[in-house]
């Protein structure tokens, strides 16, 4: 028996007041899940490469010149 069938069987076995309660809980969970979803970034193939906004980094430890 699938999870959906089990839920339907249990839902049918409870009284009307309990069904209303279960529906309120499910609706709250459904709305919470929809609010927490984020848009998905999809890459487009074949477009021009994006330009980097990062500045070039200087060397962390420049070599010291030895005086001879």
């Amino acid at each position: 028996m699938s999870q959906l069938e089990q839920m339907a069987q249990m839902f049918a076995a409870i009284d009307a007041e309990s069904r209303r309660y279960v529906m309120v809980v499910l609706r709250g969970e459904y709305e919470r899940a929809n609010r927490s979803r984020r848009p998905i970034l999809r890459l487009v193939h074949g477009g021009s490469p994006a330009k980097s906004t990062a500045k070039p980094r200087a060397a962390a430890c420049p070599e010291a010149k030895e005086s001879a």
Side-chain angles (χ1 to χ4, degrees):
M1 184 180 297
S2 73
Q3 192 175 33
L4 186 58
E5 291 169 337
Q6 288 177 339
M7 287 181 61
Q9 184 180 20
M10 289 186 283
F11 192 76
I14 59 178
D15 63 352
E17 185 176 342
S18 298
R19 287 184 196 147
R20 282 192 295 274
Y21 172 76
V22 169
M23 290 302 295
V24 168
V25 171
L26 285 175
R27 186 174 294 115
E29 283 300 301
Y30 173 78
E31 290 170 358
R32 182 189 62 79
N34 282 336
R35 280 193 308 266
S36 67
R37 291 192 179 134
R38 302 282 183 238
I40 298 171
L41 175 63
R42 299 188 191 279
L43 299 178
V44 178
H45 296 287
S48 61
K51 293 182 180 179
S52 175
T53 58
K55 296 179 182 177
R57 295 183 181 180
C61 298
E63 293 180 18
K65 295 183 179 178
E66 295 180 14
S67 56

